[in-house]
Amino acid sequence: MSQLSMPFQDFTQQLASYLSMSATARPLTEDLEQRILALQILGEGLAAIVLNDLPPTEQAELLQAMEVSELIGVLKAMETERRYHLFATLPTEVTEQLIANLRAEFQIALHWLFGNLMTQPAATVDKNDCGD
């Protein structure tokens, strides 16, 4: 198979492998903001692959520093088994913080979607009202 006809997923995995090998072969000297920017440039799919290959301390640091929307995107891009393994290897306090951040984002999204309906008792909400 020629390099040009290589499936995109194979290409991204090879690129992510190269990037993570070069990142782990030498200490990352960039500050945290630069590392986050590098993950943003890679996009969610590549960031998920690279993140999986980093040492647990760097994974925790990067995950905690990400905006929740970025975190959600990267987690969604991961395969289920990799996501499970990632959370299983993180320290408990990091996992708890990430889940709290995700829960807060979920509550904000619910409030945005349903607004005052969430604060009213269910009996007073007209189920036939479509919000017009």
Side-chain angles (χ1 to χ4, degrees):
M1 177 181 288
S2 73
Q3 291 291 69
L4 294 176
S5 64
M6 181 186 314
F8 184 72
Q9 184 176 11
D10 291 343
F11 170 75
T12 57
Q13 287 178 340
Q14 286 182 357
L15 178 60
S17 176
Y18 169 76
L19 291 171
S20 64
M21 284 189 297
S22 64
T24 55
R26 61 173 175 70
L28 289 174
T29 57
E30 299 90 14
D31 66 20
L32 184 58
E33 288 181 19
Q34 290 175 335
R35 289 185 281 159
I36 293 292
L37 180 60
L39 287 177
Q40 291 169 339
I41 291 170
L42 289 176
E44 295 167 346
L46 281 175
I49 293 169
V50 169
L51 191 65
N52 276 316
D53 292 332
L54 293 175
T57 54
E58 286 188 49
Q59 289 174 336
E61 184 179 32
L62 288 169
L63 290 169
Q64 289 177 301
M66 284 182 180
E67 295 289 326
V68 177
S69 59
E70 293 172 336
L71 175 63
I72 291 169
V74 170
L75 292 175
K76 284 172 66 175
M78 284 183 184
E79 296 173 358
T80 305
E81 297 82 26
R82 287 182 179 230
R83 187 171 44 243
Y84 175 78
H85 179 72
L86 174 69
F87 275 89
T89 59
L90 291 174
T92 303
E93 60 274 2
V94 173
T95 302
E96 288 173 353
Q97 181 203 348
L98 294 174
I99 290 173
N101 292 348
L102 292 169
R103 183 178 297 124
E105 182 70 14
F106 179 70
Q107 289 173 342
I108 290 167
L110 283 177
H111 184 55
W112 179 82
L113 287 171
F114 298 104
N116 291 334
L117 293 178
M118 292 180 59
T119 59
Q120 296 177 3
T124 63
V125 176
D126 181 2
K127 294 181 178 157
N128 295 319
D129 183 13
C130 65
D132 293 335

